[in-house]
Each structure stands twice: as C-alpha cells, then as structure tokens.
Amino acid sequence: MQGLFSALPPMEKGSVWLVGAGPGDPGLLTLHAVNALQQADVVVHDALVNSECLSLARPGALLEFAGKRGGKPSHKQRDISLRLVELARAGHRVLRLKGGDPFVFGRGGEEALTLIEHGIPFRIVPGITAGIGGLAYAGIPVTHREVNHAVTFLTGHDSSGLVPDRIDWEGIARGSPVIVMYMAMKHIGQIAANLIAGGRSPDEPVAFVCNAATAGQQVLETTLSRAEADVEAAGIEPPAIVVVGEVVRLRASLDWIGALTEGRRLAPDPFGAREMKDPA
C-alpha cells in the first residue's frame, strides 16, 4: 500500500488541492483524496465532510472549518476563497476538502477561479457526488434501462436562497424522466407544484435520502403530491438528496444496506409482477 501512495503526486508548498470527499462513507474517498489528507498542512473543510474522513489527516495538520449551510450562519464564499489564497501564500500545502464533488454544486469552480486570479497553483480531485453515490447507498440507481435514458441534476435554491427562477421547470418536467435535486428540501412544496404544473403525475415516486452514505442515513419514500407533508411529518432534516422518478421503485429490490443490516427481503420485481425481459 505504501508503494501505491508513493506513486501518487506530492503536494507542493504554496499550492491548493480542491478535493471531493464523496457523500460520507470514508471508503468512498479516492486514492488522490487520501494522498492529499496525508500530506496537507491545512485542511479547509465543508460542513458535509464526514469526521471519519477528517481523521485520516496527517498528525499535526490544521483542520479549519469553512462550511456553508442554508439558513444558518455561514462563511461568505469570497472569504473562503481568499482564505485559501492566504494560506497558500504563507507556504502551506492546502487541502480544500468538500463533500461530494467540488464541481457538482460545490463552488469548486468559483474557488479555482480565485486561485487563478491570485496566481496560486492548484489541482482538482473529483469525488463521488451525493446525487449518484448517496442514492446508490439508498438502493436507488439514477439510470435503469427500463425506466430512463436521461437524468437531470439541479439545485433547489440559488445564491439568494430561493427556488431558481432560471430553471425551465416545465421543460424538465416534460423531458427528464429522472430528476435529482440538491438542496431542495426547504422548497420541496414549491418545486413539487412546479413539476406537477409542468405535467408530472402527483403520484410520481419521490425519495429523500438524508445524511447519505453515513451511519445516520435516513430514506423517506413518498410522492410528489405528498412530499411536503410527509417531510414535515417525518421530521427529517437536511442535508438531503431528492430524487423524482420511477427509479425510486427500484429501492424495493436494491436496498442492499437494508438487506445487509436489517434483513430486509428484497423484491425480485419492483415494478409489480411485470414480465422482465432479459436485456440485450
């Protein structure tokens, strides 16, 4: 194992690595991410980075919190970006560790552009985004050949904290069989109404996956018309990934965590005794 890491790139002093930590489970960290954790002088991390991932930082590394959470006091994005510049200019090897993937609703592009503006060398290390990995831990695939050949990823709020008005909700409702939403729980009532107004069935399956890929993972299955009321009744809270579409029904067959830890019996035909053809 040591030989494997010796073949990976070194972190240079005065540089910044923008690294995705995945959705939660430290086993989903990439080798590049672990390599960075073992070298960094300073780890500037998000609120969504699992503490087990941070425990892999080298002894003596400074762990600096720079999280942003909707509705709670948070660091301003420009201040976070300039802090990375400050740390790099002080000669540190800086790891900016983000939950999921830095380039999927992670503001990684904004931070990289600030580094370029100030002449700071950097590296991008992708991570497993929660909209794929988190759903997989809930037993929900984002694509399935009997259900969809397209998927849309979107954010449930913009920089103002409101539902984005630049999203073509009618177009997405008509054209995307599966919709995966980040940061959408707070506005799920309005979002569901937009999708139903655009033509989606009120009875379409919806799932909320909270604290995905962690020991505290919770999954709520509901429908578009019931989503807001069921979230309130269940008392679940962000962070959450929301998925809309028939792929949610596959959880009855693919909830592998439920089968392993709770003895859940998985259904061979999640679509209801329909003849399943052997795909080519």
Side-chain angles (χ1 to χ4, degrees):
M1 182 62 73
Q2 188 60 39
L4 176 61
F5 279 96
S6 66
L8 296 176
M11 291 187 76
E12 301 294 340
K13 291 184 177 181
S15 68
V16 177
W17 286 19
L18 302 171
V19 177
D25 185 343
L28 298 180
L29 287 166
T30 65
L31 291 176
H32 277 309
V34 175
N35 178 43
L37 279 162
Q38 293 182 347
Q39 296 185 70
D41 300 313
V42 184
V43 180
V44 181
H45 64 92
D46 278 355
L48 298 182
V49 174
N50 193 330
S51 61
E52 293 179 52
C53 296
L54 295 174
S55 71
L56 297 174
R58 72 170 181 82
L62 173 65
L63 304 181
E64 187 169 305
F65 177 76
K68 293 180 71 66
R69 294 295 297 275
K72 298 181 180 180
S74 301
H75 295 77
K76 293 186 184 331
Q77 182 58 57
R78 184 63 176 171
D79 292 341
I80 296 172
S81 300
L82 291 176
R83 178 59 175 160
L84 299 177
V85 172
E86 179 185 21
L87 290 168
R89 283 182 170 168
H92 297 301
R93 291 167 293 194
V94 183
L95 168 56
R96 175 66 167 120
L97 193 63
K98 295 172 170 288
D101 182 285
F103 277 8
V104 182
F105 302 117
R107 301 186 178 93
E110 296 173 50
E111 292 174 3
L113 289 172
T114 300
L115 296 174
I116 293 170
E117 177 187 350
H118 292 274
I120 304 297
F122 67 95
R123 176 185 287 265
I124 304 297
V125 177
I128 298 174
T129 184
I132 296 174
L135 293 183
Y137 268 53
I140 302 171
V142 293
T143 66
H144 184 74
R145 284 199 286 177
E146 292 203 359
V147 174
N148 66 308
H149 294 88
V151 58
T152 295
F153 295 89
L154 60 85
T155 177
H157 68 75
D158 57 22
S159 58
S160 70
L162 302 176
V163 175
D165 57 12
R166 289 185 291 179
I167 289 179
D168 182 356
W169 293 102
E170 183 177 352
I172 289 173
R174 289 197 319 268
S176 186
V178 172
I179 306 166
V180 177
M181 296 181 280
Y182 297 68
M183 300 167 283
M185 181 180 287
K186 179 180 178 181
H187 300 299
I188 193 60
Q190 182 180 344
I191 291 171
N194 290 346
L195 293 173
I196 292 171
R200 300 301 274 249
S201 169
D203 296 324
E204 185 160 13
V206 178
F208 294 80
V209 183
C210 303
N211 296 305
T214 71
Q217 176 173 291
Q218 296 176 283
V219 182
L220 171 67
E221 295 181 58
T222 180
T223 64
L224 269 180
S225 62
R226 290 288 312 167
E228 183 177 25
D230 286 351
V231 164
E232 184 176 351
I236 58 175
E237 296 182 349
I241 285 291
V242 186
V243 56
V244 177
E246 290 297 312
V247 290
V248 172
R249 299 191 193 278
L250 284 156
R251 186 166 188 264
S253 294
L254 301 179
D255 179 19
W256 58 277
I257 290 180
L260 288 173
T261 63
E262 303 169 9
R264 180 175 179 177
R265 188 164 184 168
L266 300 180
D269 180 5
F271 297 110
R274 185 173 67 186
E275 180 182 354
M276 302 288 283
K277 298 180 181 178
D278 185 21

